[in-house]
Amino acid sequence: MLAAMPRLASSPASDTATRALDVAETLVQQMGFNWFSYADIAEALGIRKASLHHHFPSKADLGRALLVRYRDRFDVELKRIHALPIDAHGKLLRYVGLYEAVLRGDRLCLCGMLAAEYASLPEPMQEEIRSFFDLNRKWLASVIREGRRSLLFHTRDTPESASFTLLGALEGAMLVARPYGDVARFAESAAQVLESLKTRPGSKGSR
Amino acid sequence: MLAAMPRLASSPASDTATRALDVAETLVQQMGFNWFSYADIAEALGIRKASLHHHFPSKADLGRALLVRYRDRFDVELKRIHALPIDAHGKLLRYVGLYEAVLRGDRLCLCGMLAAEYASLPEPMQEEIRSFFDLNRKWLASVIREGRRSLLFHTRDTPESASFTLLGALEGAMLVARPYGDVARFAESAAQVLESLKTRPGSKGSR
DNA sequence: GTCTATAGGCAGATAGAC
DNA sequence: GTCTATCTGCCTATAGAC
């Protein structure tokens, strides 16, 4: 109470910057990066646009900070899930839960939204988006590998390939579910995709 | 050569309007609806912004026209595929080919892009986006039903539910593939998802 | 249908006082 | 760190001549 909170290495640069990122994150996830403006954030925070430029000189800086923070938080969650004493299917269920919580807040995954706007974004942001997807694909591949070792999953495809499909299916299910405001549909799709990892490569397949 | 081209009921209102829609469509699919402006289209067409407003009074009008045309064209393609003398799996392969062609042009599905920006769009556009997805889900469900009748597909889920999952998986695979500029990854994902329709509901599954 | 001209507003960004 | 003031440029949209 007497002294200022000690500033940990991982803590944000300032309270205003953090609150600005919070507001911006929601705006991007709901409306897109090209829609919102400094004025929207300034109004929400009760400060002036010029003050925001002190924390984030350009909109590209703000966007990059947004992505770095989002990825770091996701990384923490992923590590947390991986450490849980549950099987691979349970871990994927938790992973899906992360997405479902976002959708329930009428948002898209930050990187799903920014992947759509990808071509219009500054290069430093593009790099961070790929980095987010890389992180997720790597994590998913390792869980899929774990599920195979324990004979829970039986996919014919490589874990790398399956992880890409899974990531795309979840991002896409969110994307298509939102116009209908229907979280249940997303959950159903997610369950179907997870289930398809369990099925044995039965019939010969195509050809 | 002597007379003006006869104006069919389904033909565009004017050549300028059509060319404007062509340019706008590409811009939206690559950069998003909130990124492009009348100036971009006017420049590409070699006319003035004010002339564009003659054809599309507001940007919302342009957006709606874009969606109506896109859906109508998709509808034609879907009917064409359905009439082909090939099995359900072959029809889905053709359907995937539609998406792949779009991605190859460094674009996203128009409605995939607009679904991301959904919350920021005027209501008439939102309605058209849902309509596009409805059209696709209905078509996919009917093909899945056909594949089941012929014992090609063996999904446990309802065709309605599976069609939503399939649509989401394809839209999402496009979304995630684009930052990597990797059409092959999309094709691989699409093949995996189609394959999962064929697998038998083997093991007991969850619970 | 296309043009010039312009309105009226908002965008991202900077300078410099406090 | 926050403010006022301001710049420059672009945005959507309209009026009215040709």
Side-chain angles (χ1 to χ4, degrees):
Chain A
M1 270 309 191
L2 294 168
M5 288 288 289
R7 184 132 301 152
L8 301 172
S10 61
S11 68
S14 83
D15 186 57
T16 298
T18 303
R19 290 196 300 141
L21 288 176
D22 290 341
V23 173
E25 189 174 276
T26 299
L27 285 173
V28 173
Q29 289 182 270
Q30 289 180 340
M31 313 293 269
F33 188 77
N34 290 322
W35 182 89
F36 87 98
S37 75
Y38 272 49
D40 297 314
I41 302 173
E43 192 183 17
L45 261 54
I47 62 174
R48 302 277 130 180
K49 284 190 294 173
S51 310
L52 275 178
H53 279 282
H54 170 77
H55 300 282
F56 306 101
S58 77
K59 200 179 175 185
D61 294 323
L62 201 172
R64 206 174 161 282
L66 225 40
L67 280 160
V68 168
R69 191 180 73 152
Y70 194 78
R71 179 166 47 90
D72 285 352
R73 282 196 317 221
F74 230 86
D75 196 23
V76 169
E77 285 301 306
L78 261 33
K79 287 191 168 78
R80 197 182 57 74
I81 294 176
H82 219 168
L84 291 176
I86 54 178
D87 67 16
H89 186 255
K91 288 176 185 174
L92 292 185
L93 278 180
R94 302 284 186 126
Y95 182 80
V96 169
L98 257 35
Y99 283 71
E100 199 172 318
V102 169
L103 189 59
R104 219 172 277 282
D106 279 308
R107 307 184 191 194
L108 229 52
C109 168
L110 182 74
C111 288
M113 176 66 86
L114 294 178
E117 298 180 292
Y118 188 82
S120 76
L121 300 175
E123 209 277 327
M125 288 185 68
Q126 296 184 336
E127 196 180 316
E128 290 297 332
I129 295 166
R130 289 195 303 272
S131 168
F132 175 85
F133 286 147
D134 288 343
L135 172 72
N136 279 269
R137 291 191 298 121
K138 206 179 142 188
W139 187 87
L140 285 170
S142 81
V143 174
I144 290 172
R145 238 175 262 118
E146 179 189 326
R148 278 182 147 189
R149 273 197 303 272
S150 59
L151 303 179
L152 238 180
F153 299 153
H154 306 272
T155 54
R156 207 179 337 212
D157 330 285
T158 63
E160 287 72 26
S161 173
S163 72
F164 183 90
T165 302
L166 185 47
L167 179 61
L170 292 178
E171 292 283 0
M174 289 185 85
L175 190 72
V176 179
R178 220 171 49 125
Y180 297 100
D182 190 344
V183 182
R185 246 189 275 243
F186 166 82
E188 207 176 308
S189 267
Q192 276 177 39
V193 177
L194 292 199
E195 210 56 40
S196 79
L197 289 173
K198 294 191 179 179
T199 54
R200 301 174 177 284
S203 54
K204 265 206 319 210
S206 58
R207 205 148 244 289
Chain B
M1 271 311 192
L2 293 167
M5 287 289 289
R7 184 132 301 154
L8 301 173
S10 61
S11 68
S14 82
D15 186 55
T16 298
T18 303
R19 291 195 301 142
L21 288 175
D22 290 341
V23 173
E25 189 175 275
T26 299
L27 284 173
V28 173
Q29 289 183 270
Q30 289 180 339
M31 314 292 270
F33 188 77
N34 290 321
W35 183 90
F36 87 97
S37 75
Y38 272 50
D40 297 313
I41 302 172
E43 193 184 16
L45 263 54
I47 61 173
R48 302 276 127 181
K49 287 188 288 174
S51 310
L52 275 178
H53 279 282
H54 169 77
H55 300 281
F56 306 100
S58 78
K59 200 179 175 183
D61 294 323
L62 201 172
R64 208 177 159 281
L66 225 40
L67 279 160
V68 169
R69 190 180 73 152
Y70 194 77
R71 179 167 46 89
D72 284 351
R73 281 197 316 220
F74 230 85
D75 197 23
V76 169
E77 285 301 305
L78 261 32
K79 288 191 166 77
R80 196 181 57 75
I81 294 175
H82 220 165
L84 291 175
I86 53 179
D87 67 17
H89 185 254
K91 288 177 186 174
L92 292 185
L93 277 179
R94 302 283 186 127
Y95 182 80
V96 168
L98 256 36
Y99 283 72
E100 200 172 317
V102 169
L103 189 59
R104 219 172 276 284
D106 280 308
R107 308 183 191 195
L108 230 51
C109 166
L110 181 75
C111 289
M113 176 67 84
L114 295 177
E117 297 180 292
Y118 187 82
S120 77
L121 300 175
E123 209 277 327
M125 287 184 67
Q126 297 183 336
E127 197 181 316
E128 291 296 333
I129 294 166
R130 289 194 304 272
S131 168
F132 175 85
F133 286 147
D134 288 343
L135 172 72
N136 280 266
R137 291 191 298 119
K138 207 179 139 190
W139 187 87
L140 285 169
S142 82
V143 174
I144 290 171
R145 238 174 261 118
E146 179 189 325
R148 278 181 146 188
R149 273 197 303 272
S150 59
L151 304 179
L152 237 181
F153 300 154
H154 306 271
T155 55
R156 206 175 343 211
D157 330 286
T158 64
E160 287 71 26
S161 174
S163 71
F164 183 90
T165 303
L166 185 47
L167 178 61
L170 292 178
E171 292 283 0
M174 288 185 86
L175 190 72
V176 180
R178 222 172 47 126
Y180 297 100
D182 192 343
V183 182
R185 249 189 272 243
F186 166 82
E188 207 176 310
S189 268
Q192 275 177 39
V193 178
L194 291 200
E195 210 56 39
S196 79
L197 289 173
K198 293 192 180 178
T199 55
R200 302 175 176 285
S203 53
K204 266 207 318 217
S206 58
R207 212 152 239 288

